[in-house]
Amino acid sequence: MESSEKIQQSGILQVLASLLNSPSSCAAKIAHIIAEIAKNELIRIPCVDAGLIPPLVKLLNSKDQEVLLQTGRALGNICYDSHSLQAQLINMGVIPTLVKLLGVHSQNAALTEMCLVAFGNLAELESSKEQFASTNVADELVKLFKKQTEHEKKEMIFEVLAPLAEHDAIKLQLVEAGLVECLLEIVHQNVTSEKDDDIAELKTASDLMVLLLLGGSLYHRMSSDASRHALHKTSEQQLQLNVVVLRECNSHWRCFLGKCCIVGSTAVQRLHTLHEGQMETGPLKVQRPPLEALPRFSLDHPTISSTKYPAEPLHQNPVTFTRSEKTPANFQTMNSLKTNLLMQLPTELTEELHGGEGSWQELQEANATGPPGIQQQAAYTRLILEYIRSFKYSWDVIRTIIESGGIKHLVTMATSEHVIMQNEALVALGLITALELQTAEHDLESAKLIQVLHKLLSDEKSAPEIKYNSMVLICAVMGSEPLNNEVQNLAFLDVVAKLRSHENKTVAQQASLTEQRLTVQS
């Protein structure tokens, strides 16, 4: 603050402006002084008021590299963190000038870095995109990128490319300049590396591919690459390359499915092939991406019918996809299975649930013997819930779940420490008892459902929705003589009567209805 005040009082800023407006052999020195002074944020506005910006912009046409470097630094420091001043530079036409400088002086590391820093700041402004698009900045940046071997230099270029790639015209220019090939090469080189710098570079390259993908241009390269390698037995490194590309792109399938015949090009089969070879021992980053991508094909585009996606082996032999020792991969398998079943017709699904070895029966057993973490989170049981929710009015599906032993898993889930999981189980059991009470009667009794419900209603810590759905379920099971007898023997009437004064009005209202039902049945 003190130096700022003294500089302004001295009048030196006006002197510097006057010197810049006249031809001088000291231009580089003057620009250097301004660059250092402008590091002080309190002096930036006074620099603008002194009229330093116009003569500095003119100096960008100099052929002296030191003048160019110090001028760029001075303008950068004056306009630092000020969108209004940066917009002023754009309006003065600095972007074409800087792009030209980058091409002419690409061998000067300091000058190149100055241009990149300036591009990075200006590219954040929407008003800059049209000017960039009217230049050959894409060609210059890609040429510069190809020469780099150091992570830091590549990262600087990435920081410029990312905001530019959001513009449709520049995106196309970058693809035509060969950026896709550069990014795929980075993925290929770094995909197996454990070094932090390589991983960071891989992530950045993948993110940039996603931006380019939004225009659809990357898909054709990626697709041919996947077709060439993933469908044939290749090295694990190349397989991982394909997977990483698919992983980073899968969240954007929606954006270009309409432009590419993705199902017709056997993309789903490729994903299965990618996952199959890595299922049991492959790295987690290789196991998960195909599973993350698969649901997109069925949910993100209406042209993908239930006859195309469900025919794949994911749901035909579900347990083979949960052999991984990596718990997150198993969770992703469950999500893919749940998404897949949403595309089934009840009749088709019932046939598959009645399938032979490796299908629904084996999946049920996996609930008790699944990999660590799966049992705790009840992923298999939640898959059963998804079937019930998806086809809650299909007697065939509900009956198949009962016959396959699904009841005991749902009752177990109702005792979970997680309220959401408890509630899902109670709702599913409610649907089963509403549709197939007599069929489920024996299994409900064996699983000790009534004792579980009594405990949930008696527990003061039970959430309101748990109490509500427990009472709804009590009313439903009273249509079964053996289950009704258990209800009467456990004195539910006393427990429910206390809930009539519950602070939650919905719970209190259901308690009154349940009490009336219990009184009639007693």
Side-chain angles (χ1 to χ4, degrees):
M1 186 180 295
E2 184 180 355
S3 63
S4 171
E5 291 174 354
K6 290 185 176 181
I7 287 172
Q8 292 180 63
Q9 291 170 359
S10 69
I12 188 64
L13 296 179
Q14 288 74 18
V15 173
L16 294 176
S18 176
L19 290 172
L20 286 177
N21 282 313
S22 305
S24 171
S25 60
C26 298
K29 182 73 69 176
I30 296 169
H32 186 190
I33 292 172
I34 296 172
E36 295 304 317
I37 289 175
K39 288 180 178 179
N40 183 338
E41 62 180 332
L42 297 177
I43 209 72
R44 291 170 188 160
I45 296 302
C47 283
V48 175
D49 295 339
L52 290 174
I53 288 183
L56 284 171
V57 170
K58 289 181 181 178
L59 282 181
L60 290 177
N61 294 308
S62 172
K63 295 182 180 180
D64 187 315
Q65 294 187 24
E66 183 62 20
V67 171
L68 292 172
L69 176 62
Q70 299 304 333
T71 299
R73 290 185 60 239
L75 286 170
N77 289 344
I78 291 173
C79 300
Y80 178 76
D81 205 26
S82 171
H83 287 174
S84 61
L85 292 178
Q86 290 169 2
Q88 184 178 332
L89 290 180
I90 293 170
N91 292 334
M92 296 175 74
V94 299
I95 289 177
T97 303
L98 289 173
V99 172
K100 183 179 178 181
L101 290 179
L102 181 63
V104 173
H105 302 290
S106 60
Q107 302 303 318
N108 186 321
L111 200 51
T112 297
E113 184 173 330
M114 182 273 291
C115 288
L116 290 174
V117 171
F119 289 162
N121 289 328
L122 297 175
E124 295 295 334
L125 277 68
E126 283 302 315
S127 58
S128 71
K129 303 294 175 65
E130 292 301 327
Q131 275 201 32
F132 274 117
S134 66
T135 70
N136 64 333
V137 67
D139 290 324
E140 296 297 346
L141 289 174
V142 173
K143 281 194 294 186
L144 185 63
F145 189 85
K146 290 178 179 178
K147 298 177 184 178
Q148 305 308 315
T149 56
E150 298 178 16
H151 285 292
E152 291 77 10
K153 297 294 177 60
K154 289 182 180 179
E155 189 62 34
M156 286 189 69
I157 301 175
F158 275 139
E159 289 177 0
V160 177
L161 290 171
L164 290 179
E166 295 174 357
H167 188 275
D168 289 341
I170 301 175
K171 183 184 304 179
L172 182 60
Q173 293 169 5
L174 290 171
V175 172
E176 291 175 345
L179 181 58
V180 170
E181 287 74 14
C182 293
L183 297 176
L184 286 173
E185 181 62 25
I186 288 177
V187 175
H188 180 80
Q189 291 173 353
N190 297 337
V191 70
T192 58
S193 175
E194 299 297 330
K195 295 180 180 178
D196 290 343
D197 286 344
D198 290 342
I199 293 172
E201 189 173 287
L202 174 64
K203 178 66 170 65
T204 306
S206 299
D207 288 343
L208 189 51
M209 275 194 281
V210 170
L211 283 176
L212 295 176
L213 180 67
L214 294 177
S217 302
L218 175 59
Y219 169 72
H220 300 288
R221 289 167 170 76
M222 183 190 72
S223 179
S224 61
D225 193 61
S227 178
R228 187 167 60 253
H229 298 289
L231 292 179
H232 297 81
K233 301 301 180 183
T234 58
S235 67
E236 179 177 330
Q237 184 181 36
Q238 185 58 53
L239 187 62
Q240 291 183 28
L241 164 62
N242 291 321
V243 168
V244 168
V245 175
L246 287 167
R247 176 191 63 202
E248 298 303 332
C249 297
N250 91 74
S251 61
H252 295 278
W253 288 130
R254 180 184 295 119
C255 298
F256 68 97
L257 271 172
K259 302 178 183 177
C260 307
C261 187
I262 202 160
V263 175
S265 64
T266 68
V268 175
Q269 290 89 336
R270 292 175 191 170
L271 288 170
H272 284 303
T273 303
L274 286 171
H275 180 61
E276 201 170 29
Q278 302 289 320
M279 198 183 311
E280 297 191 34
T281 59
L284 181 59
K285 64 181 177 181
V286 176
Q287 290 186 31
R288 291 183 69 177
L291 292 169
E292 292 172 347
L294 280 166
R296 301 284 175 179
F297 293 106
S298 61
L299 292 184
D300 287 351
H301 201 265
T303 62
I304 303 176
S305 70
S306 60
T307 60
K308 293 180 180 177
Y309 181 64
E312 305 305 327
L314 181 63
H315 64 287
Q316 293 176 352
N317 200 5
V319 177
T320 62
F321 284 81
T322 59
R323 291 174 183 160
S324 171
E325 297 177 359
K326 313 292 193 304
T327 297
N330 286 313
F331 286 146
Q332 195 59 54
T333 298
M334 291 301 104
N335 288 332
S336 296
L337 283 167
K338 288 191 291 186
T339 301
N340 181 48
L341 73 93
L342 293 175
M343 301 301 293
Q344 303 278 333
L345 295 173
T347 52
E348 296 172 348
L349 180 62
T350 302
E351 290 175 2
E352 288 170 14
L353 295 187
H354 279 299
E357 182 180 355
S359 61
W360 181 254
Q361 290 282 355
E362 190 175 346
L363 185 62
Q364 292 279 22
E365 293 173 9
N367 195 79
T369 60
I374 289 291
Q375 288 174 277
Q376 181 181 2
Q377 296 298 330
Y380 294 99
T381 305
R382 300 191 82 171
L383 180 58
I384 299 172
L385 290 174
E386 205 67 40
Y387 276 93
I388 294 171
R389 270 202 296 266
S390 299
F391 304 103
K392 55 189 175 184
Y393 300 116
S394 171
W395 275 266
D396 288 337
V397 173
I398 296 295
R399 192 177 298 115
T400 300
I401 290 173
I402 296 169
E403 293 171 355
S404 300
I407 293 291
K408 61 183 178 182
H409 300 307
L410 292 172
V411 174
T412 299
M413 186 172 171
T415 64
S416 168
E417 60 184 11
H418 302 290
V419 174
I420 293 177
M421 294 171 69
Q422 280 184 300
N423 204 46
E424 285 181 347
L426 292 172
V427 171
L429 287 167
L431 288 169
I432 289 174
T433 55
L435 293 174
E436 287 290 337
L437 177 57
Q438 299 306 316
T439 307
E441 183 180 76
H442 176 71
D443 287 350
L444 292 170
E445 191 174 4
S446 299
K448 301 187 183 302
L449 171 66
I450 304 305
Q451 289 89 330
V452 169
L453 295 176
H454 189 275
K455 183 177 180 180
L456 291 175
L457 289 172
S458 302
D459 189 351
E460 294 182 357
K461 296 180 181 179
S462 292
E465 59 266 37
I466 301 303
K467 292 184 181 294
Y468 174 84
N469 282 316
S470 294
M471 288 187 286
V472 169
L473 194 49
I474 286 295
C475 293
V477 300
M478 279 193 275
S480 162
E481 185 176 348
L483 293 174
N484 183 46
N485 289 338
E486 286 191 38
V487 171
Q488 301 303 329
N489 291 336
L490 281 176
F492 269 86
L493 197 55
D494 295 337
V495 176
V496 171
K498 294 178 181 179
L499 295 176
R500 287 169 52 194
S501 58
H502 196 277
E503 59 184 1
N504 185 292
K505 293 182 179 180
T506 305
V507 172
Q509 185 177 13
Q510 183 59 41
S512 297
L513 295 173
T514 305
E515 184 181 28
Q516 293 174 19
R517 185 73 184 276
L518 287 167
T519 302
V520 172
Q521 293 289 333
S522 61

